[in-house]
mmCIF file of all heavy atoms in Angstrom:
data_model
loop_
_atom_site.group_PDB
_atom_site.id
_atom_site.type_symbol
_atom_site.label_atom_id
_atom_site.label_comp_id
_atom_site.label_asym_id
_atom_site.label_seq_id
_atom_site.Cartn_x
_atom_site.Cartn_y
_atom_site.Cartn_z
ATOM 1 N N ARG A 1 0.836 -1.202 0.000
ATOM 2 C CA ARG A 1 0.000 0.000 0.000
ATOM 3 C C ARG A 1 0.871 1.253 0.000
ATOM 4 O O ARG A 1 0.561 2.237 -0.686
ATOM 5 C CB ARG A 1 -0.920 -0.013 1.212
ATOM 6 C CG ARG A 1 -1.899 1.158 1.266
ATOM 7 C CD ARG A 1 -2.655 1.181 2.578
ATOM 8 N NE ARG A 1 -3.633 2.251 2.590
ATOM 9 C CZ ARG A 1 -4.941 2.072 2.490
ATOM 10 N NH1 ARG A 1 -5.426 0.848 2.355
ATOM 11 N NH2 ARG A 1 -5.761 3.096 2.520
ATOM 12 N N LYS A 2 1.949 1.229 0.756
ATOM 13 C CA LYS A 2 2.842 2.379 0.791
ATOM 14 C C LYS A 2 3.450 2.645 -0.582
ATOM 15 O O LYS A 2 3.543 3.799 -1.027
ATOM 16 C CB LYS A 2 3.944 2.141 1.822
ATOM 17 C CG LYS A 2 4.920 3.301 1.967
ATOM 18 C CD LYS A 2 5.972 3.012 3.025
ATOM 19 C CE LYS A 2 6.953 4.166 3.147
ATOM 20 N NZ LYS A 2 8.005 3.881 4.172
ATOM 21 N N ALA A 3 3.874 1.585 -1.272
ATOM 22 C CA ALA A 3 4.433 1.765 -2.613
ATOM 23 C C ALA A 3 3.389 2.307 -3.572
ATOM 24 O O ALA A 3 3.678 3.180 -4.408
ATOM 25 C CB ALA A 3 4.978 0.427 -3.122
ATOM 26 N N PHE A 4 2.139 1.839 -3.453
ATOM 27 C CA PHE A 4 1.083 2.334 -4.334
ATOM 28 C C PHE A 4 0.789 3.803 -4.066
ATOM 29 O O PHE A 4 0.594 4.591 -5.000
ATOM 30 C CB PHE A 4 -0.179 1.492 -4.133
ATOM 31 C CG PHE A 4 -1.391 2.048 -4.835
ATOM 32 C CD1 PHE A 4 -1.538 1.920 -6.205
ATOM 33 C CD2 PHE A 4 -2.378 2.713 -4.122
ATOM 34 C CE1 PHE A 4 -2.639 2.436 -6.842
ATOM 35 C CE2 PHE A 4 -3.483 3.234 -4.752
ATOM 36 C CZ PHE A 4 -3.623 3.093 -6.127
ATOM 37 N N GLU A 5 0.765 4.203 -2.810
ATOM 38 C CA GLU A 5 0.460 5.600 -2.479
ATOM 39 C C GLU A 5 1.552 6.540 -2.974
ATOM 40 O O GLU A 5 1.272 7.691 -3.313
ATOM 41 C CB GLU A 5 0.261 5.738 -0.974
ATOM 42 C CG GLU A 5 -1.029 5.089 -0.474
ATOM 43 C CD GLU A 5 -1.181 5.195 1.028
ATOM 44 O OE1 GLU A 5 -0.177 5.573 1.690
ATOM 45 O OE2 GLU A 5 -2.287 4.914 1.540
ATOM 46 N N GLU A 6 2.794 6.076 -3.033
ATOM 47 C CA GLU A 6 3.860 6.919 -3.585
ATOM 48 C C GLU A 6 3.616 7.210 -5.066
ATOM 49 O O GLU A 6 3.793 8.347 -5.519
ATOM 50 C CB GLU A 6 5.207 6.220 -3.391
ATOM 51 C CG GLU A 6 5.661 6.162 -1.936
ATOM 52 C CD GLU A 6 6.981 5.426 -1.784
ATOM 53 O OE1 GLU A 6 7.485 4.920 -2.824
ATOM 54 O OE2 GLU A 6 7.505 5.361 -0.653
ATOM 55 N N TYR A 7 3.180 6.226 -5.827
ATOM 56 C CA TYR A 7 2.855 6.455 -7.230
ATOM 57 C C TYR A 7 1.613 7.340 -7.361
ATOM 58 O O TYR A 7 1.513 8.164 -8.283
ATOM 59 C CB TYR A 7 2.618 5.123 -7.933
ATOM 60 C CG TYR A 7 3.873 4.332 -8.170
ATOM 61 C CD1 TYR A 7 4.128 3.170 -7.470
ATOM 62 C CD2 TYR A 7 4.819 4.751 -9.112
ATOM 63 C CE1 TYR A 7 5.285 2.439 -7.672
ATOM 64 C CE2 TYR A 7 5.976 4.023 -9.317
ATOM 65 C CZ TYR A 7 6.208 2.866 -8.607
ATOM 66 O OH TYR A 7 7.356 2.146 -8.815
ATOM 67 N N GLU A 8 0.681 7.200 -6.429
ATOM 68 C CA GLU A 8 -0.530 8.010 -6.476
ATOM 69 C C GLU A 8 -0.198 9.484 -6.228
ATOM 70 O O GLU A 8 -0.739 10.377 -6.887
ATOM 71 C CB GLU A 8 -1.514 7.491 -5.428
ATOM 72 C CG GLU A 8 -2.933 7.979 -5.636
ATOM 73 C CD GLU A 8 -3.888 7.290 -4.693
ATOM 74 O OE1 GLU A 8 -3.458 6.910 -3.580
ATOM 75 O OE2 GLU A 8 -5.054 7.141 -5.055
ATOM 76 N N ILE A 9 0.698 9.764 -5.277
ATOM 77 C CA ILE A 9 1.112 11.147 -5.014
ATOM 78 C C ILE A 9 1.852 11.717 -6.225
ATOM 79 O O ILE A 9 1.661 12.877 -6.600
ATOM 80 C CB ILE A 9 1.991 11.203 -3.748
ATOM 81 C CG1 ILE A 9 1.167 10.824 -2.515
ATOM 82 C CG2 ILE A 9 2.611 12.577 -3.574
ATOM 83 C CD1 ILE A 9 1.984 10.700 -1.251
ATOM 84 N N GLU A 10 2.710 10.918 -6.832
ATOM 85 C CA GLU A 10 3.435 11.381 -8.020
ATOM 86 C C GLU A 10 2.470 11.733 -9.150
ATOM 87 O O GLU A 10 2.664 12.710 -9.880
ATOM 88 C CB GLU A 10 4.411 10.289 -8.471
ATOM 89 C CG GLU A 10 5.249 10.679 -9.683
ATOM 90 C CD GLU A 10 6.190 9.569 -10.098
ATOM 91 O OE1 GLU A 10 6.224 8.529 -9.408
ATOM 92 O OE2 GLU A 10 6.887 9.726 -11.126
ATOM 93 N N PHE A 11 1.389 10.964 -9.282
ATOM 94 C CA PHE A 11 0.395 11.244 -10.308
ATOM 95 C C PHE A 11 -0.336 12.560 -10.022
ATOM 96 O O PHE A 11 -0.524 13.388 -10.917
ATOM 97 C CB PHE A 11 -0.601 10.084 -10.381
ATOM 98 C CG PHE A 11 -1.840 10.380 -11.177
ATOM 99 C CD1 PHE A 11 -1.806 10.392 -12.569
ATOM 100 C CD2 PHE A 11 -3.046 10.647 -10.544
ATOM 101 C CE1 PHE A 11 -2.936 10.668 -13.306
ATOM 102 C CE2 PHE A 11 -4.184 10.921 -11.271
ATOM 103 C CZ PHE A 11 -4.133 10.938 -12.658
ATOM 104 N N GLN A 12 -0.744 12.766 -8.777
ATOM 105 C CA GLN A 12 -1.494 13.974 -8.437
ATOM 106 C C GLN A 12 -0.619 15.222 -8.493
ATOM 107 O O GLN A 12 -1.114 16.318 -8.753
ATOM 108 C CB GLN A 12 -2.114 13.833 -7.037
ATOM 109 C CG GLN A 12 -3.167 12.751 -6.914
ATOM 110 C CD GLN A 12 -4.475 13.122 -7.581
ATOM 111 O OE1 GLN A 12 -4.576 14.145 -8.263
ATOM 112 N NE2 GLN A 12 -5.488 12.281 -7.411
ATOM 113 N N ASP A 13 0.686 15.099 -8.272
ATOM 114 C CA ASP A 13 1.588 16.251 -8.260
ATOM 115 C C ASP A 13 2.186 16.571 -9.625
ATOM 116 O O ASP A 13 3.069 17.430 -9.720
ATOM 117 C CB ASP A 13 2.738 16.019 -7.266
ATOM 118 C CG ASP A 13 2.255 16.036 -5.829
ATOM 119 O OD1 ASP A 13 1.138 16.535 -5.598
ATOM 120 O OD2 ASP A 13 2.981 15.536 -4.945
ATOM 121 N N TYR A 14 1.738 15.908 -10.653
ATOM 122 C CA TYR A 14 2.291 16.191 -11.978
ATOM 123 C C TYR A 14 1.896 17.601 -12.423
ATOM 124 O O TYR A 14 0.721 17.977 -12.381
ATOM 125 C CB TYR A 14 1.785 15.161 -12.992
ATOM 126 C CG TYR A 14 2.225 15.461 -14.408
ATOM 127 C CD1 TYR A 14 3.517 15.204 -14.825
ATOM 128 C CD2 TYR A 14 1.336 16.016 -15.327
ATOM 129 C CE1 TYR A 14 3.935 15.474 -16.107
ATOM 130 C CE2 TYR A 14 1.731 16.291 -16.624
ATOM 131 C CZ TYR A 14 3.035 16.019 -17.010
ATOM 132 O OH TYR A 14 3.437 16.294 -18.289
ATOM 133 N N HIS A 15 2.874 18.409 -12.880
ATOM 134 C CA HIS A 15 2.646 19.795 -13.276
ATOM 135 C C HIS A 15 2.353 19.867 -14.772
ATOM 136 O O HIS A 15 3.192 19.522 -15.605
ATOM 137 C CB HIS A 15 3.868 20.669 -12.945
ATOM 138 C CG HIS A 15 4.020 20.954 -11.488
ATOM 139 N ND1 HIS A 15 4.394 19.985 -10.576
ATOM 140 C CD2 HIS A 15 3.839 22.105 -10.764
ATOM 141 C CE1 HIS A 15 4.443 20.524 -9.363
ATOM 142 N NE2 HIS A 15 4.114 21.801 -9.445
ATOM 143 N N ASP A 16 1.118 20.318 -15.085
ATOM 144 C CA ASP A 16 0.781 20.557 -16.489
ATOM 145 C C ASP A 16 1.475 21.808 -17.009
ATOM 146 O O ASP A 16 1.824 21.890 -18.194
ATOM 147 C CB ASP A 16 -0.743 20.690 -16.651
ATOM 148 C CG ASP A 16 -1.458 19.403 -16.279
ATOM 149 O OD1 ASP A 16 -0.914 18.319 -16.588
ATOM 150 O OD2 ASP A 16 -2.541 19.472 -15.668
ATOM 151 N N TRP A 17 1.626 22.789 -16.130
ATOM 152 C CA TRP A 17 2.252 24.047 -16.533
ATOM 153 C C TRP A 17 3.255 24.436 -15.450
ATOM 154 O O TRP A 17 2.906 24.471 -14.269
ATOM 155 C CB TRP A 17 1.206 25.145 -16.688
ATOM 156 C CG TRP A 17 1.739 26.369 -17.395
ATOM 157 C CD1 TRP A 17 2.332 27.441 -16.806
ATOM 158 C CD2 TRP A 17 1.734 26.614 -18.788
ATOM 159 N NE1 TRP A 17 2.694 28.356 -17.748
ATOM 160 C CE2 TRP A 17 2.342 27.876 -19.001
ATOM 161 C CE3 TRP A 17 1.285 25.909 -19.902
ATOM 162 C CZ2 TRP A 17 2.505 28.436 -20.253
ATOM 163 C CZ3 TRP A 17 1.440 26.463 -21.146
ATOM 164 C CH2 TRP A 17 2.055 27.705 -21.313
ATOM 165 N N PRO A 18 4.506 24.715 -15.805
ATOM 166 C CA PRO A 18 5.522 25.030 -14.792
ATOM 167 C C PRO A 18 5.120 26.238 -13.950
ATOM 168 O O PRO A 18 4.665 27.254 -14.478
ATOM 169 C CB PRO A 18 6.772 25.323 -15.632
ATOM 170 C CG PRO A 18 6.542 24.628 -16.938
ATOM 171 C CD PRO A 18 5.074 24.693 -17.176
ATOM 172 N N GLY A 19 5.298 26.101 -12.630
ATOM 173 C CA GLY A 19 5.023 27.212 -11.727
ATOM 174 C C GLY A 19 3.603 27.290 -11.242
ATOM 175 O O GLY A 19 3.300 28.106 -10.378
ATOM 176 N N ILE A 20 2.692 26.496 -11.792
ATOM 177 C CA ILE A 20 1.284 26.512 -11.381
ATOM 178 C C ILE A 20 0.973 25.193 -10.682
ATOM 179 O O ILE A 20 1.236 24.121 -11.229
ATOM 180 C CB ILE A 20 0.357 26.716 -12.589
ATOM 181 C CG1 ILE A 20 0.666 28.054 -13.268
ATOM 182 C CG2 ILE A 20 -1.105 26.662 -12.150
ATOM 183 C CD1 ILE A 20 -0.185 28.333 -14.484
ATOM 184 N N LYS A 21 0.418 25.294 -9.479
ATOM 185 C CA LYS A 21 0.101 24.108 -8.715
ATOM 186 C C LYS A 21 -0.951 23.279 -9.434
ATOM 187 O O LYS A 21 -1.990 23.812 -9.839
ATOM 188 C CB LYS A 21 -0.393 24.504 -7.317
ATOM 189 C CG LYS A 21 -0.646 23.309 -6.414
ATOM 190 C CD LYS A 21 -1.086 23.759 -5.026
ATOM 191 C CE LYS A 21 -1.329 22.541 -4.133
ATOM 192 N NZ LYS A 21 -1.767 22.950 -2.772
ATOM 193 N N PRO A 22 -0.722 22.006 -9.624
ATOM 194 C CA PRO A 22 -1.694 21.195 -10.370
ATOM 195 C C PRO A 22 -2.968 20.979 -9.571
ATOM 196 O O PRO A 22 -2.978 20.981 -8.338
ATOM 197 C CB PRO A 22 -0.953 19.880 -10.591
ATOM 198 C CG PRO A 22 0.015 19.800 -9.451
ATOM 199 C CD PRO A 22 0.432 21.220 -9.179
ATOM 200 N N LYS A 23 -4.056 20.814 -10.290
ATOM 201 C CA LYS A 23 -5.343 20.534 -9.674
ATOM 202 C C LYS A 23 -5.503 19.031 -9.526
ATOM 203 O O LYS A 23 -5.392 18.283 -10.499
ATOM 204 C CB LYS A 23 -6.469 21.099 -10.532
ATOM 205 C CG LYS A 23 -7.852 20.880 -9.926
ATOM 206 C CD LYS A 23 -8.931 21.474 -10.813
ATOM 207 C CE LYS A 23 -10.313 21.244 -10.216
ATOM 208 N NZ LYS A 23 -11.379 21.797 -11.090
ATOM 209 N N ALA A 24 -5.742 18.611 -8.301
ATOM 210 C CA ALA A 24 -5.858 17.177 -8.042
ATOM 211 C C ALA A 24 -7.121 16.623 -8.681
ATOM 212 O O ALA A 24 -8.159 17.284 -8.741
ATOM 213 C CB ALA A 24 -5.850 16.915 -6.546
ATOM 214 N N MET A 25 -7.026 15.399 -9.170
ATOM 215 C CA MET A 25 -8.156 14.731 -9.801
ATOM 216 C C MET A 25 -8.848 13.827 -8.788
ATOM 217 O O MET A 25 -8.209 13.182 -7.958
ATOM 218 C CB MET A 25 -7.678 13.899 -10.999
ATOM 219 C CG MET A 25 -6.997 14.724 -12.089
ATOM 220 S SD MET A 25 -6.465 13.716 -13.486
ATOM 221 C CE MET A 25 -8.061 13.175 -14.108
#
């Protein structure tokens, strides 16, 4: 579960535009 949550955080923190905080899905 810990390994899965690390990938989940990486997915939610992906930046579509540099300098702008991404919107979580």
